[in-house]
Amino acid sequence: MSDAIGGKNDSSRQRGSRDQTGPHDRGSEDVTGEAICPYCGVGCRLVARARNGRVISVRGAADAAANHGRICPKGATLAQVIDTPDRAIAPLIREDRSRPFRAVSWDEANRFLADRLNAIIAENGPSAFGFYGSGQLDTEAAYCAARFVKGGLKTNNTDSNSRLCMASAVAGYRSSLGSDGPPPCYADIADASVILILGSNMADAHPVTFEFVRAKKRVQPETFIIVVDPRRTRTARFADLYVQIRPGSDVAFLNAIAYFLVTRGLIDHRFVRESTTGFDELADDLESQNVRDLAAVCGVEPGALLTLADRIGTAGRFLSFYGMGINQSAAGVDKNNCILNLHLITGQIGKKGAGPFSLTGQPNAMGGREAGLLKDSLPGYRRVEQDEDRREMEDAWSLPPGSIESSPGLSAVKMFRSLAAGSLKAIWIAGTNPMVSLPDLNASRVGLENAELVIVQDCYYPTETSDYAHVILPAAQWIEKEGTSTNSERMVTYSERVLDPPGEARPDWRIFCGVAQSMGLPGFDFPDAAAVWDEFRQLTRGRVCDQSGMTAARLRRERSIQWPCPNESGPGAQRLYTDGRFPTPDGRARIFTRRHRTPGDPVCEQYPLVLTTGRLAAHWHTRTRTRHVELLERQEPEPFLEINPTDAVVRAIQDGDIVEVRSRRGLLKTRARISTAPAPGTVFAAFHWGDRFRVYASANALTPAELDPVSDQPEYKYCAVEVRACTIERGDDTAAQDI
Ligand code: SF4
């Protein structure tokens, strides 16, 4: 499956485009530069040292608020992911998938894309095109993509893989608090008295932030740590109180906690009266529910729920962290609303050591949202449905009134469904590998097979997704480009360029601008990344995510500033909503009444177990980077299925056996790992592996494409399966040899 054109890389580093500034490598002289880590949303700032065109060391930046010099094994081994044999180094084109790729110049690639996109749009209209980006793109790239697609091509069909991890957190914040954006900051860990970690294996997925929690517990052992998760993870093992709820029962669990808070009078009535609406409706609804029924749904004794509620209700400072266990659900927005309810009814928001903190998955998932990459957003957290917001952007982009579509575009999963149905003809995929990460992979694959034009922009080639491409666009990656990212705590960090990109690889923002200019679209002649940033940050003036005070020059001096930061000489703000006012029409936050819903892929006699999927400490997303790091590969060399001994014994499965996992949609063949981490009835698999590792290696062949009705985020945490012992047949592992 590999293709020599893109897969070959000259280890001496051919020089790429020269249009960037920064302390880039000057031969044998050592050069250092700082950049945000390209993996998780903790957003550690790292210091890279390079010599002779290679990164020779990576360490944490001591003065970075996100990490204070700390670093995890993925960040520490970044030097090994840059000069790999599979770096994409030249634009590649093939007219149809039966032909081999040919390497072309950027001019030819841009002309080809301009002609093909113009033809498809002329024949089918702008909505025949979709852009699917990523939280890996820096803000400059996300802004250029949003401007190109929404303002230039005139379709709102832009979405990001943030749809798969953060969309429900966004919709939860927007509906409850009036705007997206986590209210607390990492420094709040030091002041919290009770920390609730819900649906997040922070120890593995956000390791440096979890280190701050551990350090806090060491210094102040009276800090009470509660972990709620269906799987007894490394995070759970650290807890003072671990609650193993059933998969999919979070709303029932959170309602039970709210019930006890209300009935025991652990409510901040003043905050509720002055800063919220909806409390009476919630209290009435909770009273009408039987708390024993709620406890039975989540499989927890009512006494444990009462203890937990007392801890939260009497906490001086209550901080919660939550992640994919909450968001990756067909009821993800409801779950987010219920967590926010707990903070609103107890007044634990907008003050030191308190608040609801949704852990962002990727380094710039936040920045993409701020820049307008999602299907319903415009730069500065504007919304396509709002007339005034569209008018402001049309003015800013010198477009005639009515140029920007007023209805949201297609979300991630719906784009692939529309490709399969034929209403979407072309897709541009940048910085992500959906042929491993999308749910119900077999159905999603049909979409790409059916597409007339598939453009894949990535720093690696080949990937599972590029197998379907007509065009490959080589992107510069971490430390090869300058750009800006926003981490989980709203900290905007500038990343420097230390190396030249390999071959013809370019920064993502320049790739979008090149095609836009070839299509004759005005406004894409930015001289450099700083000019892109300065245009974007001025569009945030007066918005919740105000970054107008962070000039490009200031970010290059100060490196990291937290938003909102409206003043060029003033600091950023650590916390949101400190005055008890929220960006809603009446200034009050909304307390919502939500009810438990049964997950849509129910267990039955044929599929009696619940599969929940997730991440491992050693790998990142679809392993395009981490598979190059020997240390990480040694830790987790292959996919596995965690299964409780009770479920294993009735199926005659031994530890290490190869098992076949079937759902209503697909098949996974993997190795059994017998473990008490999942409760009986639940199994766990990581989603990192794809078809290029081995046929039937993808956990997402099993997962359903059921979406949250508000956020369109897919359900990855509740999938009915059956497991049985089997063998990997001859031929199943041939794909592994290609990578
Ligand atoms: Fe990178 Fe996240 Fe590790 Fe920090 S914790 S070094 S951001 S992977």
Side-chain angles (χ1 to χ4, degrees), residues 37-81:
C37 174
Y39 290 121
C40 84
V42 172
C44 296
R45 209 169 76 219
L46 309 178
V47 183
R49 177 176 292 277
R51 186 186 306 153
N52 292 328
R54 288 181 185 279
V55 173
I56 54 171
S57 70
V58 180
R59 60 181 167 80
D63 64 338
N67 52 317
H68 293 292
R70 288 183 165 95
I71 190 169
C72 82
K74 286 198 289 286
T77 52
L78 271 165
Q80 297 168 48
V81 308

CSV table of all heavy atoms in Angstrom, one decimal, residues 37-81:
chain,number,residue,atom,x,y,z
A,37,CYS,N,3.2,21.4,22.4
A,37,CYS,CA,3.2,20.0,22.1
A,37,CYS,C,2.1,19.7,21.1
A,37,CYS,O,1.0,20.2,21.3
A,37,CYS,CB,3.1,19.2,23.3
A,37,CYS,SG,3.0,17.4,23.0
A,38,PRO,N,2.4,18.9,20.1
A,38,PRO,CA,1.3,18.6,19.1
A,38,PRO,C,0.4,17.5,19.5
A,38,PRO,O,-0.4,17.1,18.7
A,38,PRO,CB,2.2,18.2,17.8
A,38,PRO,CG,3.4,17.5,18.4
A,38,PRO,CD,3.7,18.3,19.7
A,39,TYR,N,0.5,17.0,20.7
A,39,TYR,CA,-0.4,15.9,21.1
A,39,TYR,C,-1.6,16.5,21.8
A,39,TYR,O,-2.5,17.0,21.2
A,39,TYR,CB,0.4,14.9,21.9
A,39,TYR,CG,1.4,14.1,21.1
A,39,TYR,CD1,2.7,14.1,21.5
A,39,TYR,CD2,1.0,13.3,20.1
A,39,TYR,CE1,3.6,13.3,20.8
A,39,TYR,CE2,1.9,12.5,19.4
A,39,TYR,CZ,3.2,12.5,19.7
A,39,TYR,OH,4.2,11.7,19.1
A,40,CYS,N,-1.6,16.4,23.1
A,40,CYS,CA,-2.9,16.6,23.8
A,40,CYS,C,-3.2,18.0,24.2
A,40,CYS,O,-2.4,18.9,24.1
A,40,CYS,CB,-3.0,15.6,25.0
A,40,CYS,SG,-2.2,16.3,26.5
A,41,GLY,N,-4.5,18.2,24.6
A,41,GLY,CA,-4.9,19.6,24.9
A,41,GLY,C,-4.4,20.2,26.2
A,41,GLY,O,-4.7,21.4,26.5
A,42,VAL,N,-3.5,19.5,26.9
A,42,VAL,CA,-2.9,20.1,28.1
A,42,VAL,C,-2.1,21.3,27.6
A,42,VAL,O,-2.1,22.4,28.2
A,42,VAL,CB,-1.9,19.1,28.8
A,42,VAL,CG1,-1.1,19.8,29.8
A,42,VAL,CG2,-2.7,18.0,29.4
A,43,GLY,N,-1.5,21.2,26.4
A,43,GLY,CA,-0.8,22.3,25.8
A,43,GLY,C,0.5,22.6,26.4
A,43,GLY,O,0.8,23.8,26.6
A,44,CYS,N,1.3,21.6,26.7
A,44,CYS,CA,2.6,21.9,27.3
A,44,CYS,C,3.4,22.7,26.3
A,44,CYS,O,3.5,22.4,25.1
A,44,CYS,CB,3.3,20.5,27.6
A,44,CYS,SG,2.5,19.5,28.8
A,45,ARG,N,4.2,23.6,26.8
A,45,ARG,CA,5.1,24.4,26.0
A,45,ARG,C,6.4,23.7,26.1
A,45,ARG,O,6.9,23.4,27.2
A,45,ARG,CB,5.2,25.8,26.4
A,45,ARG,CG,5.5,26.7,25.3
A,45,ARG,CD,5.4,28.2,25.6
A,45,ARG,NE,6.4,28.6,26.4
A,45,ARG,CZ,6.3,29.5,27.5
A,45,ARG,NH1,5.1,29.9,27.8
A,45,ARG,NH2,7.3,29.9,28.2
A,46,LEU,N,7.0,23.3,25.0
A,46,LEU,CA,8.3,22.5,24.9
A,46,LEU,C,9.4,23.3,24.3
A,46,LEU,O,9.2,24.2,23.5
A,46,LEU,CB,8.0,21.3,24.1
A,46,LEU,CG,6.8,20.4,24.5
A,46,LEU,CD1,6.7,19.2,23.5
A,46,LEU,CD2,6.8,20.0,25.9
A,47,VAL,N,10.6,23.0,24.8
A,47,VAL,CA,11.8,23.6,24.2
A,47,VAL,C,12.5,22.6,23.4
A,47,VAL,O,12.9,21.5,23.9
A,47,VAL,CB,12.7,24.2,25.3
A,47,VAL,CG1,14.0,24.9,24.7
A,47,VAL,CG2,12.0,25.1,26.3
A,48,ALA,N,12.7,22.9,22.1
A,48,ALA,CA,13.4,21.9,21.2
A,48,ALA,C,14.7,22.5,20.8
A,48,ALA,O,14.9,23.6,20.6
A,48,ALA,CB,12.5,21.7,19.9
A,49,ARG,N,15.7,21.6,20.9
A,49,ARG,CA,17.1,22.0,20.5
A,49,ARG,C,17.4,21.2,19.2
A,49,ARG,O,17.1,20.0,19.1
A,49,ARG,CB,18.1,21.6,21.6
A,49,ARG,CG,19.5,21.9,21.2
A,49,ARG,CD,20.5,21.6,22.4
A,49,ARG,NE,20.3,22.6,23.4
A,49,ARG,CZ,20.8,23.8,23.5
A,49,ARG,NH1,21.6,24.3,22.5
A,49,ARG,NH2,20.5,24.6,24.5
A,50,ALA,N,17.9,21.9,18.2
A,50,ALA,CA,18.2,21.3,16.9
A,50,ALA,C,19.6,21.5,16.5
A,50,ALA,O,20.2,22.5,16.8
A,50,ALA,CB,17.2,21.8,15.8
A,51,ARG,N,20.1,20.5,15.8
A,51,ARG,CA,21.5,20.6,15.2
A,51,ARG,C,21.5,19.9,13.9
A,51,ARG,O,21.0,18.8,13.8
A,51,ARG,CB,22.5,20.0,16.2
A,51,ARG,CG,24.0,20.2,15.8
A,51,ARG,CD,24.9,19.5,16.7
A,51,ARG,NE,24.7,19.9,18.1
A,51,ARG,CZ,25.0,19.1,19.1
A,51,ARG,NH1,25.5,17.9,18.9
A,51,ARG,NH2,24.7,19.4,20.4
A,52,ASN,N,22.1,20.4,12.9
A,52,ASN,CA,22.3,19.8,11.6
A,52,ASN,C,20.9,19.3,11.0
A,52,ASN,O,20.8,18.2,10.5
A,52,ASN,CB,23.2,18.6,11.7
A,52,ASN,CG,24.6,19.0,11.9
A,52,ASN,OD1,25.0,20.1,11.5
A,52,ASN,ND2,25.4,18.2,12.6
A,53,GLY,N,19.9,20.1,11.2
A,53,GLY,CA,18.6,19.8,10.6
A,53,GLY,C,17.8,18.8,11.4
A,53,GLY,O,16.8,18.2,10.9
A,54,ARG,N,18.3,18.5,12.6
A,54,ARG,CA,17.5,17.5,13.4
A,54,ARG,C,17.3,18.0,14.8
A,54,ARG,O,18.1,18.7,15.4
A,54,ARG,CB,18.4,16.2,13.5
A,54,ARG,CG,18.4,15.4,12.2
A,54,ARG,CD,19.2,14.1,12.5
A,54,ARG,NE,19.4,13.4,11.2
A,54,ARG,CZ,18.5,12.6,10.7
A,54,ARG,NH1,17.4,12.4,11.3
A,54,ARG,NH2,18.7,12.0,9.5
A,55,VAL,N,16.1,17.6,15.3
A,55,VAL,CA,15.9,17.9,16.7
A,55,VAL,C,16.7,16.9,17.6
A,55,VAL,O,16.6,15.7,17.4
A,55,VAL,CB,14.4,17.8,17.1
A,55,VAL,CG1,14.1,18.0,18.6
A,55,VAL,CG2,13.6,18.8,16.3
A,56,ILE,N,17.5,17.4,18.5
A,56,ILE,CA,18.3,16.5,19.3
A,56,ILE,C,17.8,16.4,20.7
A,56,ILE,O,18.2,15.5,21.4
A,56,ILE,CB,19.8,16.9,19.3
A,56,ILE,CG1,20.0,18.4,19.7
A,56,ILE,CG2,20.4,16.7,17.9
A,56,ILE,CD1,21.4,18.8,19.9
A,57,SER,N,17.0,17.3,21.2
A,57,SER,CA,16.4,17.2,22.5
A,57,SER,C,15.1,18.0,22.6
A,57,SER,O,14.9,19.0,21.9
A,57,SER,CB,17.4,17.6,23.6
A,57,SER,OG,17.5,19.0,23.6
A,58,VAL,N,14.2,17.5,23.5
A,58,VAL,CA,13.0,18.2,23.8
A,58,VAL,C,12.8,18.2,25.3
A,58,VAL,O,12.9,17.1,26.0
A,58,VAL,CB,11.8,17.5,23.2
A,58,VAL,CG1,10.5,18.2,23.5
A,58,VAL,CG2,12.0,17.4,21.6
A,59,ARG,N,12.5,19.3,25.9
A,59,ARG,CA,12.2,19.4,27.3
A,59,ARG,C,11.1,20.4,27.6
A,59,ARG,O,10.7,21.1,26.7
A,59,ARG,CB,13.5,19.8,28.1
A,59,ARG,CG,14.0,21.2,27.8
A,59,ARG,CD,15.2,21.5,28.6
A,59,ARG,NE,15.9,22.7,28.0
A,59,ARG,CZ,15.6,24.0,28.2
A,59,ARG,NH1,14.5,24.2,29.0
A,59,ARG,NH2,16.2,25.0,27.6
A,60,GLY,N,10.5,20.3,28.7
A,60,GLY,CA,9.4,21.2,29.1
A,60,GLY,C,9.9,22.6,29.3
A,60,GLY,O,11.0,22.8,29.9
A,61,ALA,N,9.1,23.6,29.0
A,61,ALA,CA,9.5,25.0,29.2
A,61,ALA,C,9.2,25.3,30.7
A,61,ALA,O,8.1,25.2,31.1
A,61,ALA,CB,8.8,26.0,28.3
A,62,ALA,N,10.2,25.8,31.4
A,62,ALA,CA,10.1,25.9,32.9
A,62,ALA,C,9.0,27.0,33.3
A,62,ALA,O,8.3,26.9,34.3
A,62,ALA,CB,11.4,26.3,33.5
A,63,ASP,N,8.9,28.0,32.5
A,63,ASP,CA,8.0,29.1,32.8
A,63,ASP,C,6.6,28.9,32.2
A,63,ASP,O,5.8,29.9,32.2
A,63,ASP,CB,8.6,30.4,32.4
A,63,ASP,CG,8.7,30.5,30.9
A,63,ASP,OD1,8.8,29.5,30.2
A,63,ASP,OD2,8.8,31.7,30.4
A,64,ALA,N,6.3,27.8,31.7
A,64,ALA,CA,5.0,27.6,31.0
A,64,ALA,C,3.9,27.2,32.1
A,64,ALA,O,4.1,26.3,32.8
A,64,ALA,CB,5.0,26.5,30.0
A,65,ALA,N,2.8,28.0,32.1
A,65,ALA,CA,1.7,27.7,33.1
A,65,ALA,C,1.1,26.3,32.9
A,65,ALA,O,0.7,25.7,33.9
A,65,ALA,CB,0.6,28.8,32.9
A,66,ALA,N,1.1,25.8,31.7
A,66,ALA,CA,0.5,24.5,31.5
A,66,ALA,C,1.3,23.4,32.0
A,66,ALA,O,0.7,22.3,32.4
A,66,ALA,CB,0.3,24.3,30.0
A,67,ASN,N,2.6,23.5,32.1
A,67,ASN,CA,3.4,22.3,32.5
A,67,ASN,C,4.6,22.6,33.4
A,67,ASN,O,5.1,21.7,34.0
A,67,ASN,CB,4.0,21.6,31.2
A,67,ASN,CG,4.7,22.5,30.3
A,67,ASN,OD1,4.2,23.6,29.9
A,67,ASN,ND2,5.8,22.0,29.7
A,68,HIS,N,4.9,23.9,33.7
A,68,HIS,CA,6.0,24.2,34.6
A,68,HIS,C,7.2,23.3,34.4
A,68,HIS,O,7.8,22.8,35.4
A,68,HIS,CB,5.5,24.1,36.1
A,68,HIS,CG,4.5,25.1,36.4
A,68,HIS,ND1,4.8,26.5,36.5
A,68,HIS,CD2,3.2,25.0,36.7
A,68,HIS,CE1,3.7,27.1,36.8
A,68,HIS,NE2,2.7,26.3,36.9
A,69,GLY,N,7.6,23.1,33.2
A,69,GLY,CA,8.8,22.3,32.9
A,69,GLY,C,8.5,20.8,32.8
A,69,GLY,O,9.4,20.1,32.4
A,70,ARG,N,7.3,20.4,33.2
A,70,ARG,CA,7.0,19.0,33.1
A,70,ARG,C,6.8,18.5,31.6
A,70,ARG,O,6.4,19.4,30.8
A,70,ARG,CB,5.8,18.6,33.9
A,70,ARG,CG,6.0,18.7,35.4
A,70,ARG,CD,4.7,18.3,36.1
A,70,ARG,NE,4.9,17.9,37.5
A,70,ARG,CZ,4.6,18.8,38.5
A,70,ARG,NH1,4.3,20.0,38.2
A,70,ARG,NH2,4.8,18.4,39.7
A,71,ILE,N,6.8,17.3,31.4
A,71,ILE,CA,6.6,16.7,30.1
A,71,ILE,C,6.3,15.2,30.2
A,71,ILE,O,6.8,14.6,31.2
A,71,ILE,CB,7.9,16.9,29.2
A,71,ILE,CG1,7.8,16.6,27.8
A,71,ILE,CG2,9.1,16.2,29.8
A,71,ILE,CD1,9.0,17.1,26.9
A,72,CYS,N,5.5,14.7,29.3
A,72,CYS,CA,5.2,13.2,29.4
A,72,CYS,C,6.0,12.5,28.4
A,72,CYS,O,6.7,13.1,27.5
A,72,CYS,CB,3.7,13.0,29.3
A,72,CYS,SG,3.1,12.9,27.6
A,73,PRO,N,6.0,11.1,28.4
A,73,PRO,CA,6.8,10.4,27.4
A,73,PRO,C,6.5,10.7,25.9
A,73,PRO,O,7.4,10.7,25.1
A,73,PRO,CB,6.6,8.9,27.7
A,73,PRO,CG,6.2,8.9,29.2
A,73,PRO,CD,5.4,10.2,29.4
A,74,LYS,N,5.3,11.0,25.6
A,74,LYS,CA,5.0,11.4,24.2
A,74,LYS,C,5.7,12.7,23.8
A,74,LYS,O,6.3,12.7,22.8
A,74,LYS,CB,3.5,11.5,24.0
A,74,LYS,CG,2.7,10.2,24.0
A,74,LYS,CD,1.4,10.3,23.4
A,74,LYS,CE,0.4,11.1,24.2
A,74,LYS,NZ,-0.1,10.4,25.4
A,75,GLY,N,5.6,13.7,24.7
A,75,GLY,CA,6.3,14.9,24.4
A,75,GLY,C,7.8,14.8,24.4
A,75,GLY,O,8.5,15.3,23.5
A,76,ALA,N,8.3,14.0,25.3
A,76,ALA,CA,9.8,13.8,25.4
A,76,ALA,C,10.4,13.1,24.2
A,76,ALA,O,11.6,13.3,24.0
A,76,ALA,CB,10.1,13.1,26.7
A,77,THR,N,9.6,12.4,23.5
A,77,THR,CA,10.2,11.6,22.4
A,77,THR,C,9.8,12.2,21.0
A,77,THR,O,9.9,11.5,20.0
A,77,THR,CB,9.7,10.1,22.4
A,77,THR,OG1,8.2,10.1,22.5
A,77,THR,CG2,10.2,9.4,23.6
A,78,LEU,N,9.4,13.4,21.0
A,78,LEU,CA,9.0,14.1,19.7
A,78,LEU,C,10.1,14.1,18.7
A,78,LEU,O,9.8,14.2,17.5
A,78,LEU,CB,8.4,15.5,20.0
A,78,LEU,CG,6.9,15.6,20.3
A,78,LEU,CD1,6.6,16.9,20.9
A,78,LEU,CD2,6.1,15.3,19.1
A,79,ALA,N,11.3,14.2,19.2
A,79,ALA,CA,12.4,14.2,18.2
A,79,ALA,C,12.4,13.1,17.2
A,79,ALA,O,12.8,13.2,16.0
A,79,ALA,CB,13.8,14.2,18.9
A,80,GLN,N,11.8,12.0,17.6
A,80,GLN,CA,11.8,10.8,16.7
A,80,GLN,C,10.6,10.8,15.7
A,80,GLN,O,10.6,9.9,14.9
A,80,GLN,CB,11.6,9.5,17.6
A,80,GLN,CG,12.8,9.3,18.5
A,80,GLN,CD,12.6,8.3,19.6
A,80,GLN,OE1,12.1,7.2,19.2
A,80,GLN,NE2,12.9,8.6,20.8
A,81,VAL,N,9.7,11.7,15.7
A,81,VAL,CA,8.6,11.7,14.8
A,81,VAL,C,8.8,12.6,13.6
A,81,VAL,O,7.9,12.8,12.8
A,81,VAL,CB,7.3,12.0,15.5
A,81,VAL,CG1,7.1,11.1,16.8
A,81,VAL,CG2,7.1,13.5,15.9
